[in-house]
Amino acid sequence: MKTRMALLLSVAAGVFALIAMALYLGARESELLEQAALQDIVVTTQDILANTALDERVVGTVQIPKKYVQPGAIAQISEVVGRVAAVPLPKGSQVSGTALFEGGREALAFNVPRGMRALSMAVDDVTGVAGLLRPGNFVDIVGIFEYGVPSGAVGTEITYSNERTEAITVAQNVQIIAAGGSLGEQPAAPPGPDGEPEPAPSGPPEISNVTLLLSPQQVQEIVLAQHLGALTLALRSSLDSAIVEIPRLEEGQFLKIPIPVKRKPRPSWREMRGGR
C-alpha cells in the first residue's frame, strides 16, 4: 500500500513538473518572440549636427527587433520632420523624442527650408499693407524704378534724357515667415497686478519690417531692387498661389494718353504719419 502511494505521488510530482516546465517554456517562448518582433523605427541616414532642422532627406525608417528599440524611439517620420536636433546624431542613430525639440521656437533659422534664404525688408504703413501682414501670408513685390540716359551735368548733379518711370512686379507669391520680431507664435500675456492676464493691446502691432522666404537668386534680385528703386508689398489671397504674366507699366500708359504725368513729390514719413 505504501509502495503504491509513493508511486502515485511520484507520478503526480512528475506531471506537475512537466506542466510547470511547459508553462515556463511557453511564457519564455512568448517573451522571446515578442522581443524578436520587428518594429519600425526612425533612424538618421547621415551625420546630423546639433541645432539642425530635420527633413525627409536626413532620416528614414528601418525594422529592428523590439528588444533593441531604445526608450522613447520614434516610429513615424512625420513626427520628426520640422523638429530640430538638440544633440549631434551620428548616422544610423535611432531618433528619440528626448534628442529633439520643436522647430521655430528657438531661432528663425529653423523655419528656413534647405536651399532657401530669409531676407528682411523695411516697410511702412503704405508699403506694408497698413501693418496687417502676418507670418504665413503670401505677397507680391512691386517696384517703382526710374530710367533715363545720362545727357550732361548741372554742377554736381547728372541730368538725364528720355526719363521714364516703370512699375514692375519683381516677385510673386513670396511667403512671409516673420513680421517684425514675430514668428507667428502668440506668447502668453504676462499677469497683471491682480494675477489675471493683461488685456491684449487693441489694433494691429506696429511693424517696421518683414522677413521673406526667397531662393538665393531672388535674394540678389530683391537686394538690387531695394538699392535701385522703391518696393511695395501687395497681399495675396490665401486661396491664390498662381504665378501670372504681368506686363511692365510705364508712366503715361496707365491713363492711356501719350503725355507724361508730372510726378507728385513723395510725402515725408512725418507727413504720412500725420505730423506725429
Side-chain angles (χ1 to χ4, degrees):
M1 185 67 180
K2 291 183 178 181
T3 304
R4 183 177 180 183
M5 180 62 69
L7 180 60
L8 291 175
L9 290 175
S10 299
V11 171
V15 171
F16 177 79
L18 288 175
I19 295 174
M21 180 63 71
L23 292 174
Y24 170 78
L25 292 177
R28 184 60 178 164
E29 182 181 13
S30 298
E31 181 182 352
L32 293 174
L33 289 175
E34 182 180 358
Q35 292 180 355
L38 297 179
Q39 181 174 333
D40 288 335
I41 293 297
V42 177
V43 298
T44 57
T45 56
Q46 63 185 53
D47 293 339
I48 298 174
L49 299 176
N51 296 323
T52 300
L54 306 185
D55 59 27
E56 294 88 344
R57 290 173 289 187
V58 299
V59 295
T61 57
V62 297
Q63 288 188 327
I64 63 175
K66 186 176 180 179
K67 177 181 179 180
Y68 300 108
V69 175
Q70 297 177 359
I74 297 175
Q76 300 293 331
I77 289 182
S78 59
E79 298 179 28
V80 170
V81 172
R83 299 179 68 181
V84 179
V87 295
L89 299 174
K91 180 179 179 181
S93 300
Q94 297 182 33
V95 181
S96 64
T98 56
L100 306 176
F101 52 76
E102 297 297 333
R105 296 185 181 178
E106 311 297 331
L108 176 63
F110 300 151
N111 286 351
V112 180
R114 191 186 302 268
M116 300 296 284
R117 304 290 186 269
L119 177 70
S120 292
M121 172 179 164
V123 295
D124 55 35
D125 285 351
V126 176
T127 61
V129 196
L132 298 175
L133 298 174
R134 297 291 180 268
N137 289 163
F138 287 82
V139 295
D140 290 349
I141 305 175
V142 182
I144 300 294
F145 304 98
E146 296 185 357
Y147 298 86
V149 179
S151 59
V154 177
T156 58
E157 293 192 8
I158 300 175
T159 59
Y160 297 88
S161 61
N162 299 326
E163 290 185 279
R164 73 184 192 279
T165 301
E166 291 188 3
I168 303 173
T169 299
V170 180
Q172 299 184 52
N173 205 41
V174 175
Q175 184 179 3
I176 295 175
I177 59 174
S182 170
L183 302 180
E185 298 180 349
Q186 299 296 328
D194 57 355
E196 296 295 328
E198 292 283 359
S202 60
E206 185 173 337
I207 296 174
S208 60
N209 62 79
V210 295
T211 302
L212 309 172
L213 189 63
L214 302 165
S215 68
Q217 178 65 37
Q218 287 178 313
V219 168
Q220 295 186 95
E221 295 171 352
I222 299 303
V223 170
L224 181 60
Q226 288 185 104
H227 177 72
L228 296 177
L231 302 183
T232 299
L233 301 181
L235 180 63
R236 297 180 68 109
S237 166
S238 59
L239 303 177
D240 179 13
S241 61
I243 304 297
V244 298
E245 186 69 27
I246 303 177
R248 300 164 70 150
L249 180 64
E250 295 185 27
E251 61 178 334
Q253 289 181 343
F254 69 98
L255 293 178
K256 301 189 183 302
I257 56 177
I259 302 174
V261 177
K262 185 176 180 180
R263 288 192 287 274
K264 179 181 178 181
R266 181 179 175 84
S268 67
W269 171 250
R270 182 173 294 275
E271 292 172 334
M272 292 169 62
R273 300 287 288 181
R276 292 184 282 114

